[in-house]
Every structure is written in C-alpha cells, then in structure tokens.
Amino acid sequence: MSAALEEFCGSIFWNASYLTRPDADLPVCFQQTVLVWVPLGFFWILAPWQLLPMCKSRAKKSSVTKLYIIKQVLATLLMLTAVAELALAFVEDTEQDPLPAVQYTNPSLYIATWLLVLLIHDARRFCLCRDSGILFCFWTLSLLCGILPFQSLLRRALQVGFGRKLYASLWSCPNPEVTASFLSSITFEWYTSMVFKGYRKPLEIEDIWELKGKDKTQAIYAVWEKNMKTAVRKAQAELEKRKRKKRRQKADPDRGNNMSKAQSQDVLVLGTREEKKGDKGDSGPRKDFPRGWLVKTLCKTFWQNLLLSVAFKLVHDGLVFVSPQLLKLLIAFVSDEESFAWQGYLYAILLFLTALIQSLCLQQYFSLCFQLGIKVRASLIAAIYKKALTMSSATRKESTVGETVNLMSADAQRFMDMANFIHQLWSSPLQIILSIVFLWGELGPSVLAGIAVMVLLIPINGFLVAKAKTIQVRNMKNKDERMKIMSEILNGIKILKLFAWEPSFEKRVNEIRAHELKDLVNFSYLQSISIFVFTCAPFLVSLASFAVYVLVDENNILDAQKAFTAISLFNVLRFPMAMLPLVLSSLVQTNVSTARLERYLGGEDLDSSAIHHNPIAGSAVRFSEATFAWEQDSNAAIRDVTLDIAPGSLVAVVGAVGSGKSSLVSAMLGEMENIKGHINIQGSLAYVPQQAWIQNATLKDNILFGSELDEARYQQVIKACALLPDLELLPAGDQTEIGEKGINLSGGQKQRVSLARAVYSNADIYVLDDPLSAVDAHVGKYLFKHVLGPKGLLQKKTRILVTHSISFLPQVDNIVVLVAGAVSEHGSYSTLLANRGAFAQFLNLYGSQEEDASEKNTTGTGNTTGLRQLEGKRSTNSWKKAQEEPPKKLKGQQLIEKEAVETGKVKFSMYLRYLHAVGLWYSFWVAMGYVGQYAAFVGTNLWLSAWTDDAERYLNQTYPVEQRDLRIGVFGALGVSQALFLLFATLLCAHGAMRASRVMHQQLLSNILRVPMSFFDTTPTGRIVNRFAKDIFTIDETIPMSFRSWLSCFMAIISTLLMISLATPFFALIIIPLSIFYYFVLRFYVSTSRQLRRLDSVTRSPIYSHFGETVSGLSVIRAYGHQQRFLKQNESTMDINQKSVHSWIVSNRWLAIRLEFVGSLVVFFSGLLAVISKGTLEGGIVGLSVSSALNVTQTLNWLVRMSSELETNIVAVERVHEYTKVKNEAPWVTEKRPPRGWPSKGEIQFVDYKVRYRPELELVLQGITCNIASTEKVGVVGRTGAGKSSLTNCLFRLLEAAGGSILIDEVDIATIGLHDLRQNLTIIPQDPVLFTGTLRMNLDPFDQYTDEEVWKALELAHLKTYVQDLPEGLLHLVSEGGENLSVGQRQLVCLARAVLRKAKILILDEATAAVDLETDNLIQTTIRSEFADCTVLTIAHRLHTIMDSNRVMVLQAGRIVEYDSPEELLKKQGVFSVMAKDAGIVNTETTTL
C-alpha cells in the first residue's frame, strides 16, 4: 500500500523517525495524500445531498445578497488557484523529468470540488437557512488538515496562503434561529442579542422571538394525536382481553389459587364490589383503564429528536474517556526527562480540543433533550385540554377540576423533567462499563474490589428508591387533597366569611399539611442517606481499589500515572453513578404520573350517538322512548320520554324540584348516558344554563362568544335583553372586563348576558334552563315579551323553556309536566286545566289569581356577590360616547390587575427571609458541615499526591509496610470524615427546610383567610391557587435541593482552584482574567434567565385559569359547538408559555457553551503550565492539578446553573411573601367583646351610613339613616344595582364603612371583632355554596350542635325525609361545589344552616331564587314560624315574599327613598306602588303567600 503511494507521490510516505526529533514534521507524501483526501472524501460523500433543493422546482429562490456574492467570488478565486496549479504542473512537466501523478490529480480534484461548492452556494438560496453545516465541517477539516502543510511551508519560508472563509448570514427573520449559520447554531451565537437585550432592560413577553412553525403546539399536537389514536385503540383491545380474562377467572373460582397474591386480592375486592353493584364490577373506584400506550406514543412522535440526541451523547461519552488517557500521557511526559517539548504542548492542545468538542456535543444534546421536554409537555397539556372537552360525564366525575389541573401542572411537568434525562438510562451504564474497562487496564484485577463496593451500593439504593416511592405517592394524594380544599375555600370564601368558618377550614388544611410535611421530612432523610452513600461511593471505590492494588503484591507501587488516571476515571464514574438513581427515582415518579394520565386520557368520551340529526318534517326535537341516566349503572333520571316538538313552537317544561327538568335539558345536549331510545334534533342549538357561565373577558366578548360582530343585530339583542340600563352603570359600557365567574355582575345581569349570548348566536333551537329565575319580576316580564314570547325576537325559533313561573304558561304553545323523570301530561294550557290532572291542582294551589301569579313567577336575584361597580349613573348618550372612544381606560374598567411580574434582581432580603424561616443556627451549621466536607476533600487529594510520589522516592528499594499502612489508613480516615460531614449537613438541612416550609405555608394560609373580600374580587383564584400549588411545592422540594447543590458546587470550585494553584502557583494569575470573564457572562445571563423564568410562571397561570373556566362551562361550549375555538385559544395560550420556556432553555445552552470554554481554558492552562515548569514538578502534583482541572468544567457549569436556579426558585419565596403582606381585614376578635347573648333584642340602627367597594370607586350607599326595631320584619326592595346586597355586606362588615355607623343593640359593630359580629348574625345567602365533605360538616363545621339539633334543623328545612333516604344519612358526602344535590336542595341546606344557628338577626338574600313555588312556600313558612322572635331583613325581588313585612325599605341609587309599612306605601303612589303594579299586586291581601 505505502509502496504504491510512494510511487504516486515520488517521495517517502511514512517514516517514524521524522517525529523523534525536536523539529518534528510529517513526510511530504503523507501531507499530499492523507491530509488532502480526508476533507475531500468527507465532502464528496455528503455534498451531493446539498444539491437537492435545486431539484424542487416549486421552491422560491431568495434574493442575491452581498454575502452570497462574496462567497461565490471567493470560491471562484479558489477554483482559479487550482486551475493555475494544474497549468503550472503541465508547464513544469515539459521542462524536466516527468512529475509524480499526485501533482496532476490533486489540482483536478480541487477544481471539481470548488465547482461543487459554487453549486451548493447557489442551491442554498432555495432554503431559509442559507448556511450549510456540511460545508462548514468541510472548511473546518480543510483548515485543520491545511495547518500542517502550511507550517511546513512556513518553515521552508515559502509564504503560501490558504483560502478560508467564515460567515454568518445577516438577513433578518422573526426568529434568528431559523436562519442562523452552522457555527452560530452550534455555539448558540444567534441568541447573544437576546442576552444583551435582557441585560439592558427586563425582558417582556413581546421581546421574545416567536417559535418556529414546527415547534408550535398545533404542529406538535397534530402528530401526537395521530399516534395517540392508534396506540389507544390497541390498548383498549388489550383492556377488553383483560376484562374477559377476569370474568373467566371469576366464573372459575378454583383457578384463583395459582394467581399471584395481589391478583387474588384484586379478584376478592372485585367480587365483593360486584355483589354490591350487580353486574358492573369494574366500575368501582379503581376502574381498569387502557395501559401502556402513553410512552409508545411519545417515542413514536419524537423519534427523530431521540435519535439525534443519542448520536451527540455517544460522541460525548466517547470523548469523556479520551481525557484520562491524555492525562496519563502528560504525567508520563512530566516524569520522563528525555521527552521532547513539542509532545507536551501537543498533549496540552489535545486536552483543550477534546474538552471543546465534548462541550459542543454535550450542549447540542442538552438542547435537544430540553426541546423534547417542552414538546412532550405541550402535547400532554393539549391532550388533557382536548380530553376535557370531549369526556363523558361519568369520566368527568372521576376527577375534580383540581385534580385535572394537577395533571396539567404537576404530571406534565414530571414528564418534562424526565425527558431531560431519559438518555441517562442507557448512557450511564455505558459510561460505567467503559470506565471499568479502562480502569482494568490501569490497576488490573484490583478494580474488582472497587466494583464490588459499587455493586453492594446498588441494593441499598434500590431500597431507598422503593421507600421514597411510597412516600411520594402518599404525598401526591395529600397534595391533591390540600389543593382540593384550597380551591373550595377560595371559591366559597364569601360564605366562610359570612359564617365566620375560617378557623375550621384553616384547621382542616393544616391537618393535611402536617401529614404532608411529615412525609416530606422523611423523604428528605432518605435523600440525605442516599446522598451520603453516593458521596462515599467514588471515594470508597478508589480506596478499595488502591488498597487492594498495593496490598496484593509487593511490587505494585502506586505511581502518579496510575493513581491520577484512575482518579479521573473514577470521577467520570461518579456522574453516571449519581445520575442513575436520580433518573430511576424520577422514572418511578413519572410512572405514577403515566398511570394517572393514561387513566384520564384513556377515559371514555362523550357518547352522543343517541342524539340523531335526521331531517323529519314537522318536528324540530323528537324524543323517542328516551331513557337517560347520569351514569351507566345508576337510576334513570328521565324515563321513557316520548315527545314531539314542532318547529317554531314555545314549549314550557314544569315540575317540582328534582323532577328531572334540568336532566331533560342535559339529555338533549348529549351530556347524559343513554340507556334506551333516542332524541332527534334538527338544526343548531343555543343553551342558557340555570347558573349563568360567564367568561373572564369583556361584556361584549361574552355576548358575541366568538361570532362575527354585526352592529345592528348586537344593539337589537342588547335592547331586547334589557342590558342597556346595565351598560350605563358599568364603568366602561360593554368594554368592561368581567371577572372570573362573572364576579362583578349581579345574578340578574349574568343571566341576561347569558341569554343575550344565546339570542345573538341566532341558532334554530333554544334550550333555556330557567333563565328567568334570577331576574326581577318586571325584567322577567320584559324579557318574555321582547325575547321569548310569541312577539319576541325569537318568535320564529323553537324554544324549550324550563320554568318555575306560572304567569307565562297561558302564553306558551305547549306545556310538558314532569314528575319523577317521566312526562305525566302535556298539552296546551287550556287542555291541561280541563284535564284536572296534577298540573291543574298545582295551579289551583299556587295560582289562586291569575294576575298576582304573574308576579310570583320570576324568582330572581338582583345584584349579588362581589364588587358592584354599578355606581356612577351615566346617561345613554355618555355610554355611546364611551363606545366611540374605547382606548381611554376608565377607572374600574379593568377589574383584574395584570399579575405583577417582579423585575430586576431578586432582593437579597428574600434569601435572608428564607434562611430566617429555616433558622439562622441551622443555616450556619449546614454551611460549616459543607466547609468541613471540602477541607477533608482537599486533604484526601493532597495525601494521595504525596502517596504517589513515594514511587519516585523508593524507586529501587522495597516499600516499607508501615509506610504503606499509614498511607491507606489516613486516606481512608479523611474520606470517611468527608462523608460524615456531608451527612451531618444534609440531615440538618432537611430539618431546617421542613421548618421553613411549615412557617411559610402557615403564614400564607392564615393571611389569605384574613384578607378582605375586595382582594378576592380583583384577584383570579387561579393566581392564588398557583401560590399554594406551584410556589409552595418549590419551597418544599426545590429550594432546599438548590441551596444544597449551590453550596457544594461553590465549595468544590474553591477547593479545585486551591489545588491547582498549590501545584502551579502561576495559575493564580490566570484565575483573575478567567474569573472576570466568568463573572460578566454570569451577570449578563442571570438577568435574562431570571426574567425568562418569571415570564414562564406568569404565562403559565392563564393556561390553568383558561382550563378551569373551560371545565366549568363545558356544557355551554359543547351545546354551541365551540370546542374548536377553545382548542385554538388553548394552543395560543400554550405557545406564549412555550416561547418563554424555549427561550430560557436556549439561554442556558448559550451560557453553558461559554462557561465550558472557560473550563476548557482552565484545563489547557493547567496542562500548559505543567509542561512549561516540567523540570521542577513531581508527577503526583501535576496529576492532581490536571485531574482537578478536568473536573472543574462541569462544576463551573453547575455553579451558574445552581445560582440561577436558586435565584429563579427563590422567586417563589418572593411570591408567597407578597401574599403574606396583603392588608388584612379587621381583627377577628378584639379587646372589646360584646356582652354574652348579644344581640338579645336585635335592634339595628343605621346612622348616616356610607360605603364604597374600592377606594377609587364612587359610593354605593350614600348616607343611609334608619331604625329597625326588635323582631321587626323588614323587606328591602329596589331595582338592580340600587345597593340591596351591599346593605347585607355592610352588616357583616364585608365592606367597611366610608362614613357613619351601624349599631346593633346599642353596640357599634365597627368596634367589635369580625367573628364576634358574624357568629351572631345569620344569613341565607344568594348563591347556595356547599363544600366537599359530609352533609353534617356543611351544616356545622365546628361540631357545636348535637345530632338531634341537626336533624331538627333538617326537618324544619324539609330535607329530613331526603336525608333519611340516603344510605349514609348525615354522613352523606357532598361532591365538589355540591354538584350531587339540585340547586333547590342546596338552597334548603343553607336554610337548615340558618335554622341551626338561630341568631337573633336573620338576613335573607333573595334565597328563593332557584326554587319552585312549592319549595318557596315551605321556606317562607319555616322562616315565619321559626324566626318569629327574630329581626328579619329580606332582600327581595319577588314582592310577594315581603308583602306581609312590618315595613318595607325602598332603595334607589344607594339612598332610602321610601320606608313604611306596605299598606301605607301602596296608598302613597310612590316608587313602591309602581313596582307593585308591575308585579300585579294591588293591595296587601292579593298575595296568597
């Protein structure tokens, strides 16, 4: 081979002697062949692919840029030089002897190559990124291979230039990553501009570059969904198999013996459950679900990413083992007097290069992994969201909103974290095996001793992981439980305040929290032990190996080469060995999450097959023997309904509470499980639910609900729905932002907005679930006339109206009477009256007179909760004006403040605050523990260095035994003390961290329960929940780890630099510029990174709150068929968050590349200095210095990562602290206690009382003065927004006075504690709020009353029979938000609460809103009999409820306009008599109730 080459070049191809001289060089022939052909070969193999874009004729060429022209000119010049070279060869050939062939072939090859380069440059114009990675690599290779001939030529003093170019594409694009050149991509140079921007000013979300198209949620999710569908189908088939097998096993009990224990227990459990539930055994709490499809789907979706990262990781892992070998050569070089200087410099340069390439590969690998992480998270969140839109109601019952949000936040996050380290699963074992192979080469069989130690550590670790898993699972349960209660507390905070129940709930949360912290501290102890084991590991391994090596054989002497090569290999081992258990435990957690996600995503979808859409002439909706239930195996809620509803007709559905009216509606919407029969619906639906669902958007957006704006129709709808007067009251007309759950609208307004949304949607069929219940009588009349009735806007549409009101029935086309879920009769009003059936009796009972019945109908809630911003009466024209000039923000227009993003540096006080919470002594001793550990670490290494120098000292003598034993003994002692110091520090740390968690959660919780109502009105619950979920989780688990890692990194770097400086004192000079560079990079980066993390957490909240909103409005979204729009909105919300996370990831890589460069320089200089001061150094100290340096790169990197992570995590302390500083309401109990038994009389006096909702808004009550005598019954009436509910809020001091005072029994309520006040008043609130827990807990959370008293209260509230029929009686579990009781029953539970409390003053806030007349009658009777000796204030819209009051107070715009007995007021022809006329009341006798 070499002979042929020699003939080809005409000179010697290879001769080793060329290198064994001080001026070493490579033979010319080698330079002309190998060094030329390697880059060309690489290029010709890969280049043709680069021409592909030219073949795609459709692609558009981008314009010619200056850069392109320069590139082409340079390439042409290179080609010309090659042509010139060839010509020269021919010229020379003719003059003398024939030249060797190589002189012709090389130039010809080059000509062809440069031609191809020209073509590739042109081809790249078809691509967005005009730079080619292959060309870049070719240039780099040519450069590297060209350097050697170049220096040869230089030596011969012939100056010959080499063509070379580096470029970066300059044309702009929204995301520079798309067009970044190859070099810029691998060094992340394109990101630098962002880092500078972030350093100059805090980044905003607008500054961050958009995602690339393929990284957008929609693109990722499309692929994922396709793969998911196939995988789930397979998994469901498996599930069917499993079920069949189970059934067979159940049928054949004898086979049970050979099952595993767990299985047989399963069968037992199933068996008992099946007896309970009849046939449907597996619908118990642990229902089986399709398994094992999630991971497959992920792999299938992201296989390209996985493969690429595997490639990078392999290169990196290979190079990791090159450094120890180079170190070995370097030590040999230092110890060997004869060696040439160029060898040393070569080794130093090679060390630098390996470190550099290693870091480039590692960063690409990490970048890919983190990209994978966020893509996995995006697809999971999108999948969960989509599932929520399509899941069946049975599946929905299995998981509460809180749990689902947890799936999104915690479980998707788990997957994201796991994706970052997934490759460690194969890479760690690979690195471990390679290290062992190389170690064997160094120390021979003694390595086995070290490996034995490692193997022994594995079961210990396995045990720890298993323990940790059980704790983790338990803790997830506690967390779910705590978050569930928290979200309930926040949703029902008003009730808690009115009833003064905060302490009871605080106790409940704290009990759960105590369990959680106990588990947490155990988990930390386990972690400390496993950290201890792992710190001991590398050290024990090296101790065992060295000791055995020295003890086995007299001749084995530990010299520097062996010891430090071994040590650096052990250091390599350290990382995979530490990572493996972490990855395994993370895998364990991900496994738990996988099961949770598979159960949720694999759940059954809504089956709407029973809803047909066939065209049937003359029928809009047809029920055919329809029987529907809420769950497959529960009792049917509607039975055998056969109905035909003609197009364009108005059908009323009536019936008592619980007769299945709402179920009938749900069945039409496809929300229920079909048992038999079907429903045929022709045309589009619009739906108005019983409890209006309002989005957090402007009023206008709520009405348009995604449709195009048609101004004329919009105005018409607003007018018909009686919204014009409300728009005048709202601060910014229809541009006013509505809070979460419509908090700043009254009940009646919410209902009218909900109705307007339906009317605007212009559907064919309108399903109206009792829309008139929440509005005043006269408004109800108006709505019926203008919208629903025979002359209304909807006269041509089919309307199905569920109603409790009797007055409208004569005007409807058809009436359907429901009894216990079945249609008892239907027909027109007159027919039903003539039939003398149930309906006729019902009417006779409640409709003794037609006219007054017209009033009894519309039960209603005027203004309810939250902040009435309905002050500031403005005339219509001023509203029109407001519409014309929207940009000017009016005060009160924006209700929800944007979440504050702290900017700038995290204040140092936050760290101190955390350390204070931990305890200062704890913090001090933890730090001391770490100092001790690293002192021992330096000691160990210096001792080892001295030990290896013994090899020189006792070169040809026998090694003294006592010296050997001393060396091993001290080495061992130092190592053990190192581990013990660490154990001491971590155990203390665990304890301190738990203390901090307890203190901070306690402060947060107790403060949140003590802040005034106005805070909850202006802060979305999602934001507060986020504090309790994400931020508390960070304080519990992340911050302690970050603190520990930071300390240990910091100490490690200090100790490393110390050791290098001890070896080569000159190194201290190099430290200074390096540390300056390091510091600047760090400062630049941290400000950007911190802000990106903050943006991440701020852009994350909207994902969850949008999700929560969607889940609560599911039936509405589905009824209107707007699922796609909501999916789109979710995707865009996700993309905003993804964008900030993606940017954050890149910023990390940007930093790491630059820092590892610093690390590589440290390695280079420590090597270089060792080479320079060769004669003066021992091998041992060089080994120590370079092996420490090799370790430093990673640690430097970790230090910055930890600093920034600590800083970003400490933001959690900042955020929690922010909410512990919110101003509290007045104290619960003050020095001044009211007398015992207060209020004994129940007299209330208002003295010039004024109040406003928030300081910047106008007064709601403008100076009210009146007296209410003991046991007097007073009715309070007034139009919406007159300040009726504000009056109750003032009595309970949910609003503090802006002037004046209220006296109850001569005690000024402003002077006593809130609880003393609130416990002695009773209210039946407007919205019946119930909490998860037993029925008894809902009535009496403090267990103050006996069971007899509770039963008595239930009897008076007409719930006794219902509760007695429940299997659990008083212990019946109420589901989230009381969903398993009807609205009417919930209202009765609230009545029972009031009866049980039996205070002297009772306030009724329109409690009869959602109740049919029968129940209403019961409530009124109870109140009359039970509260006869109490003062009763009734806030009413249905005048008949207050006609028998002693006096009536009429409010208008926050002032009392009339206050007298009803008889007097009717005579007086004032405001009241007008209202009474509207309601059809002429005198006080005309009301039956």
Side-chain angles (χ1 to χ4, degrees), residues 46-64:
L46 296 176
W49 301 110
Q50 297 285 306
L51 297 175
L52 283 181
M54 290 178 96
C55 313
K56 294 183 186 159
S57 54
R58 287 199 309 282
K60 198 163 96 326
K61 256 191 181 186
S62 52
S63 58
V64 173

Side-chain angles (χ1 to χ4, degrees), residues 294-295 298-299 305-306 309 365-366 368-374 376-377 380 410-426 428 579-594 597:
L294 189 60
V295 178
L298 287 171
C299 292
N305 180 309
L306 289 165
S309 37
Y365 156 77
F366 269 141
L368 284 167
C369 282
F370 282 107
Q371 302 279 7
L372 175 69
I374 62 171
V376 167
R377 191 190 68 156
L380 285 176
D411 295 315
Q413 192 66 33
R414 280 264 153 77
F415 266 92
M416 179 169 168
D417 297 340
M418 185 63 208
N420 302 343
F421 299 117
I422 191 77
H423 293 292
Q424 293 298 340
L425 282 176
W426 61 265
S428 296
M579 279 310 294
L580 204 53
L582 283 179
V583 174
L584 290 176
S585 68
S586 163
L587 195 63
V588 163
Q589 291 176 354
T590 314
N591 238 337
V592 177
S593 297
T594 308
L597 283 166

Side-chain angles (χ1 to χ4, degrees), residues 746-749 773-776 859-864 1326-1327 1406 1409 1437:
S746 69
Q749 289 169 324
S773 68
V775 293
D776 308 7
T859 65
T861 24
N863 56 4
T864 54
Q1326 195 170 19
D1327 299 334
E1406 195 46 80
H1437 301 226

Side-chain angles (χ1 to χ4, degrees), residues 121 126 178 246 326 353 364 370 401 529 587 631 636 713 796 900 990 992 1028 1127 1148 1248 1314 1333-1334 1350 1378 1457:
H121 280 166
F126 289 100
V178 182
K246 266 198 179 139
L326 288 170
L353 282 177
Q364 285 305 318
F370 282 107
V401 181
I529 294 169
L587 195 63
E631 285 175 42
R713 186 158 118 246
K796 303 266 194 308
F1028 279 99
L1127 281 173
N1148 276 341
D1248 189 27
L1314 291 179
T1334 60
V1350 175
V1457 285

